[in-house]
Amino acid sequence: MRLSIIGAGYVGLVSGAAFAEFGHDVIIMDIDRERIAKLQRGIVPIHEPGLDRLLDKNSDRISYTSNMEEAVREADIHFICVWTPPLEDGSADLSAVRAVARELGKQFVKLKVKTPIIVTKSTVPVGTGVAIQRLVRQSYKGDFSVVSNPEFLRESQAVADMLRPDRIVVGSNDPDAAKTIAGVYHDVNAPIIMTDLATAEMIKYAANAFLATKISFINEVANICEIVGADVERVAEGIGHDPRIGKAFLKAGMGYGGSCFPKDVRALHQFSNASGYDFKLLKSVIEVNEQQRQMIVDKVNKHLKILNGKNILVLGLAFKAHTDDVRESGALDIIERLQIQGANITAFDPLALLNAKKKLNDLVILVGNAHEGAVGADAIIVATEWPDFKELDWERIQSVMRKPLIIDGRNLLDPSEMRKLKFIYEGVGR
Ligand code: NAD
Ligand code: UGA
């Protein structure tokens, strides 16, 4: 099949590479010319393990362009993979999706295409597929279909998730178009769930909101564990063996971050409200997530009292390990809260320093390794669960700190080991 991918970000590039691997001809389009120029030179603009190899392996089936006319000429099925960031009120900003829909309509007319299919892979609220139909119809009067094919990949495992998904959701009000899109995945061994348009759009939000709810739930369990003297890590183990609960997403910490959970939970809450339904549970999920970050700051305050002039090393800036992505990272949020109280912040991350630098103010000193940052520190906060942090020479770090305090926001380190090394150690719920 001839496919176009509109939007060359995490989802677009990984989907494009995987579709080419499945044997399709793929043209990847983005309005960011610099990004496209890089891709044309073989430079992958994001960090995603295995993506460069997959793009390279299938390079004879993949082309890149910043020209929508070319994308429409070279493909019959168009996957919208552009961003849908949050607006001030929590709703999804659909301006990029709308711009693409209008442009597709115009190009369909200009190039006299026959029965094209538009697929939304971007995460979009229920009703967006129908809105896209309306926008395209403003210029194009021929037959076309809209299909929702939400994406469930995780950053840092995106290639594996795309090649071996646990399910594929295809939603459309046109059964033939839905069958065609299911056919894009002919080689993939995964259940295909065929639904109508609205249901597929809802599945994506329900999935992210449920996972976020699991995280907020275990964080609340952690907080009560601290009060009553139980260990949340063991509680998570104890409940996770029950297959009805499952082990995944029961890691207590500083709350969920990243470009999707915070925005999608808020968007589902917002569009439920706008539809006349008060989704009470989600309101609490959001509040608990906020509270969890403040609790890390409260733990620092508990030990250091006044933060003005205190030196704090933040270990980890990415929103989770194995990525350079700092969007809605808990680390950045906590740094801001500490700076308001006058703390001097030093920070280190094995991969995300460059991206973090663009978001942090000049007062934050970024260092090339943890040991350098620990000299004279009054506290260390572990903010990302990088496995490398476990292997640090903690004895040496202890010897150069002004006060040997560790606030482990990810329950990464072994509390008894740390206490043996004469650290004051605080995790979350243990
Ligand atoms: P991203 O920010 O990495 O990339 C988006 C790309 O879209 C950018 O390269 C941008 O230049 C391009 N773009 C914006 N407007 C455009 C336009 N009018 N025409 C062409 N290109 C345009 O975004 P992402 O992380 O890949 O997310 C894309 C969508 O997929 C979002 O809706 C997101 O919620 C969803 N999603 C993301 C993930 C993830 O892990 N990142 C997983 C599942 C779903
Ligand atoms: C998440 C979902 O897992 C994907 O299925 C989905 O496609 C994607 O959002 C999306 O829609 O964009 P991702 O944001 O890459 O993927 O990261 P996750 O691994 O889900 O982690 C999200 C956040 O939750 C991170 O800050 C992580 O540290 C935190 N988390 C995760 C916990 O605090 N505890 C856990 O047990 C699991």
Side-chain angles (χ1 to χ4, degrees):
M1 294 185 205
R2 300 188 323 147
L3 315 177
S4 88
I5 301 286
I6 318 290
Y10 286 87
V11 169
L13 286 175
V14 177
S15 307
F19 290 160
E21 174 79 5
F22 301 157
H24 305 299
D25 292 318
V26 175
I27 180 160
I28 299 179
M29 185 271 167
D30 201 292
I31 39 164
D32 183 339
R33 285 164 195 269
E34 210 178 302
R35 180 163 277 232
I36 290 298
K38 271 191 186 160
L39 286 161
Q40 284 166 334
R41 292 201 304 274
I43 303 165
V44 181
I46 57 169
H47 172 85
E48 195 55 54
L51 177 59
D52 45 359
R53 235 175 312 122
L54 199 65
L55 286 169
D56 187 46
K57 181 179 167 213
N58 294 291
S59 58
D60 55 339
R61 278 195 290 274
I62 304 176
S63 59
Y64 303 97
T65 183
S66 47
N67 181 321
M68 186 67 103
E69 183 176 338
E70 193 183 342
V72 172
R73 195 182 313 114
E74 296 300 320
D76 313 299
I77 299 171
H78 309 282
F79 284 83
I80 302 182
C81 303
V82 299
W83 50 42
T84 51
L87 288 169
E88 198 63 38
D89 66 353
S91 62
D93 179 353
L94 296 175
S95 53
V97 173
R98 283 195 216 101
V100 170
R102 278 192 210 99
E103 192 53 30
L104 282 173
K106 284 184 199 155
Q107 295 302 334
F108 292 165
V109 176
K110 189 169 172 189
L111 298 169
K112 299 190 176 67
V113 300
K114 295 250 160 31
T115 59
I117 302 178
I118 299 171
V119 189
T120 48
K121 227 181 208 320
S122 295
T123 302
V124 291
V126 178
T128 306
V130 172
I132 290 174
Q133 244 151 7
R134 264 201 311 271
L135 285 168
V136 173
R137 239 181 232 129
Q138 282 175 2
S139 42
Y140 181 70
K141 309 296 177 201
D143 278 346
F144 71 99
S145 309
V146 176
V147 177
S148 166
N149 172 218
E151 183 47 57
F152 302 100
L153 63 78
R154 293 159 292 179
E155 285 180 28
S156 82
Q157 282 156 281
V159 170
D161 285 347
M162 259 311 286
L163 294 176
R164 291 179 292 283
D166 42 29
R167 82 294 207 186
I168 295 156
V169 173
V170 178
S172 181
N173 301 336
D174 174 349
D176 289 338
K179 245 187 252 157
T180 304
I181 299 311
V184 170
Y185 297 90
H186 58 89
D187 273 349
V188 180
N189 182 20
I192 299 189
I193 294 129
M194 308 284 269
T195 70
D196 57 56
L197 207 43
T199 304
E201 289 169 338
M202 183 55 106
I203 285 172
K204 174 63 195 176
Y205 281 97
N208 274 3
F210 185 78
L211 293 170
T213 303
K214 248 185 135 177
I215 297 171
S216 278
F217 177 83
I218 200 66
N219 280 333
E220 289 233 274
V221 173
N223 299 340
I224 185 67
C225 278
E226 269 183 28
I227 296 168
V228 299
D231 180 346
V232 72
E233 294 289 310
R234 304 309 307 273
V235 173
E237 188 187 344
I239 63 173
H241 279 283
D242 183 334
R244 293 170 302 173
I245 296 174
K247 291 179 189 162
F249 281 71
L250 287 181
K251 188 83 189 149
M254 337 192 295
Y256 55 80
S259 67
C260 290
F261 281 0
K263 104 172 151 60
D264 293 345
V265 177
R266 269 185 274 144
L268 177 54
H269 186 248
Q270 192 279 338
F271 78 75
S272 299
N273 256 330
S275 314
Y277 183 71
D278 179 16
F279 202 145
K280 296 188 195 71
L281 183 59
L282 285 190
K283 204 165 152 222
S284 300
V285 170
I286 296 165
E287 274 172 20
V288 170
N289 206 53
E290 276 288 307
Q291 164 191 288
Q292 216 56 26
R293 288 170 181 190
Q294 183 55 37
M295 283 181 65
I296 300 294
V297 176
D298 292 347
K299 282 175 198 270
V300 182
N301 279 119
K302 185 176 100 187
H303 291 278
L304 298 185
K305 311 284 185 284
I306 294 167
L307 297 194
N308 195 18
K310 299 277 164 57
N311 302 326
I312 298 174
L313 168 64
V314 175
L315 283 184
L317 295 163
F319 81 93
K320 65 175 186 180
H322 309 291
T323 177
D324 65 349
D325 195 343
V326 298
R327 290 180 285 180
E328 299 245 13
S329 164
L332 303 195
D333 187 356
I334 285 167
I335 287 175
E336 214 179 297
R337 291 171 198 235
L338 294 168
Q339 280 192 320
I340 289 171
Q341 294 191 53
N344 306 318
I345 307 294
T346 302
F348 169 69
D349 188 286
L351 211 59
L353 282 179
L354 216 63
N355 283 340
K357 197 175 161 58
K358 294 177 206 155
K359 302 226 172 181
L360 291 166
N361 59 39
D362 292 345
L363 295 175
V364 179
I365 300 169
L366 299 175
V367 288
N369 63 68
H371 292 102
E372 188 187 338
V375 177
D378 296 291
I380 291 179
I381 299 176
V382 179
T384 311
E385 69 285 19
W386 283 103
D388 323 21
F389 294 159
K390 271 198 216 176
E391 312 308 326
L392 292 170
D393 183 347
W394 284 103
E395 196 169 1
R396 200 174 122 215
I397 288 180
Q398 204 274 4
S399 69
V400 297
M401 290 177 75
R402 193 155 70 181
K403 185 176 169 100
L405 171 64
I406 294 185
I407 308 294
D408 185 356
R410 299 292 193 155
N411 287 350
L412 180 78
L413 306 170
D414 182 334
S416 55
E417 285 293 314
M418 290 298 124
R419 287 182 189 126
K420 241 191 261 162
L421 293 174
K422 305 261 179 312
F423 276 105
I424 306 160
Y425 174 91
E426 280 227 36
V428 179
R430 54 197 327 207

